[in-house]
Amino acid sequence: MTLTDWFNKRKMQQIAARDNDIQIDDSIGKLWTLCYNCSSQLPKKDLDANLMVCPNCDYHFRIGARDRIGLIADKDTFVEMYSNIKPCDPLNFVDTQTYKSRQEQAKEKSGLDDAVIVGTCEIDGQKTAIAVMDFEYMGGSMGSVVGEKITRILEHALENKLPSIVFTSSGGARMQESALSLMQMAKTSCIVAKLNEAKLLYITVLCEPTFGGVTASFGTIGDIVIAEKGARIGFAGRRVIEQTIRQKLPADFQTAEYLLKCGQLDFIVERKDMKEKLSKLIRLHTKK
């Protein structure tokens, strides 16, 4: 057997194993979910009832933007804003496929027009401006629409003297928009600076995962910076850093717990306690 034949045989074996896994997952995927942290097989209905948190190891699964809003906002108080802002393809970008086709696939997968939903709601009766990112839409990447919608909702908070909360979940800047995406870092940071000058409360909640340009801009410059338990947070990825500095990083590097230990977070809050914590912070820091 030649070396090429051996590699081809291995490849076929891997494809067969993968196909078998898919068949198994398809048969039970609607009823059971595998925990990425402890490998427990969890009944889907029990996981949903526990706010998508593993009851065995407390691992916090990613949740969508609308699900998160449902956990935070008082019932029937959320009003979405700026939903008319839609993505486009300013650079006619093509990699392995066109940017437009990627947008269509992301919309079908997530049910969203882009990676953030913004609006106002009440949290225990306290009116608040919120922006919630969704990782399901192109990895929560920050393009022009994300930057514009977040800037506008924070401008609305400034004009109406409202506290504001941003939930982040992102891989960073969107490469398909090149410099236009990077410009959103400056734009969002500038409006946060205006909130600071006006002495209006701005809270960021870093969810799994938060990386790249979001971490380097509006994600980590809140008056109060919170993270969900176990969230991975950083700028560059772990592997890139290790290859650059040629050192092995600690096992818990870039986790919320590590960042809290290093003084880069104010709190780590479990999902079930998030609404109560935010409500108390708003009450403490908002003038009557």
Side-chain angles (χ1 to χ4, degrees):
M1 179 185 293
T2 66
L3 189 60
T4 302
D5 292 337
W6 184 86
F7 275 113
N8 288 337
K9 182 180 179 180
R10 289 284 297 169
K11 185 176 180 180
M12 294 304 295
Q13 289 172 341
Q14 290 170 357
I15 291 172
R18 184 196 64 192
D19 290 343
N20 288 335
D21 288 342
I22 290 172
Q23 289 171 7
I24 293 170
D25 289 341
D26 287 345
S27 65
I28 66 171
K30 294 181 180 179
L31 299 175
W32 298 83
T33 300
L34 180 69
C35 177
Y36 303 117
N37 187 53
C38 67
S39 300
S40 298
Q41 284 285 359
L42 307 170
K44 190 75 166 63
K45 63 177 183 178
D46 292 350
L47 189 59
D48 289 339
N50 202 39
L51 308 181
M52 295 300 290
V53 177
C54 177
N56 298 325
C57 68
D58 219 21
Y59 175 75
H60 284 49
F61 286 79
R62 293 173 193 159
I63 59 174
R66 296 197 186 279
D67 291 334
R68 194 176 294 281
I69 291 168
L71 297 177
I72 298 302
D74 295 350
K75 187 176 180 180
D76 299 327
T77 63
F78 177 71
V79 179
E80 186 173 356
M81 300 174 68
Y82 312 118
S83 58
N84 60 315
I85 302 175
K86 308 288 186 184
C88 58
D89 185 10
L91 305 178
N92 295 317
F93 191 92
V94 181
D95 45 78
T96 55
Q97 57 183 293
T98 65
Y99 181 29
K100 286 184 178 179
S101 67
R102 289 192 183 279
Q103 289 173 338
E104 291 168 0
Q105 291 170 9
K107 183 175 181 178
E108 183 178 352
K109 180 181 180 182
S110 66
L112 303 177
D113 290 323
D114 214 292
V116 72
I117 298 176
V118 304
T120 60
C121 70
E122 291 183 9
I123 300 176
D124 289 339
Q126 302 168 106
K127 191 169 183 181
T128 307
I130 64 170
V132 185
M133 301 187 74
D134 195 315
F135 197 81
E136 283 295 297
Y137 191 100
M138 295 187 71
S141 53
M142 179 175 62
S144 300
V145 171
V146 170
E148 182 66 17
K149 290 175 78 170
I150 288 175
T151 300
R152 289 201 189 188
I153 194 60
L154 296 182
E155 286 176 341
H156 179 80
L158 182 63
E159 292 167 7
N160 294 275
K161 297 188 177 353
L162 297 175
S164 50
I165 304 171
V166 175
F167 292 83
T168 66
S169 181
S170 175
R174 189 172 299 171
M175 71 170 191
Q176 289 86 353
E177 294 187 22
S178 188
L180 297 175
S181 174
L182 297 177
M183 289 165 61
Q184 308 310 310
M185 295 170 62
K187 183 165 70 175
T188 53
S189 298
C190 285
I191 185 59
V192 172
K194 290 182 179 179
L195 289 175
N196 185 260
E197 290 170 4
K199 295 180 170 56
L200 292 172
L201 179 64
Y202 172 63
I203 299 173
T204 55
V205 182
L206 310 181
C207 306
E208 162 69 19
T210 298
F211 278 87
V214 171
T215 307
S217 56
F218 64 88
T220 52
I221 55 176
D223 300 312
I224 300 170
V225 183
I226 299 172
E228 273 198 331
K229 187 173 182 179
R232 290 175 299 156
I233 303 159
F235 182 67
R238 180 190 185 95
R239 188 183 306 168
V240 173
I241 297 172
E242 287 184 333
Q243 290 175 349
T244 301
I245 66 174
R246 300 184 187 282
Q247 294 180 27
K248 195 71 176 173
L249 295 168
D252 62 347
F253 182 71
Q254 292 185 326
T255 63
E257 289 73 17
Y258 183 87
L259 267 63
L260 181 66
K261 185 169 61 178
C262 294
Q264 293 183 282
L265 297 175
D266 295 301
F267 304 105
I268 293 175
V269 181
E270 294 191 29
R271 190 168 292 160
K272 63 182 175 61
D273 301 322
M274 187 65 72
K275 181 176 181 178
E276 180 184 359
K277 187 71 171 180
L278 292 173
S279 176
K280 287 180 178 178
L281 289 171
I282 293 169
R283 188 173 295 112
L284 284 169
H285 293 85
T286 303
K287 292 181 180 180
K288 298 295 183 184

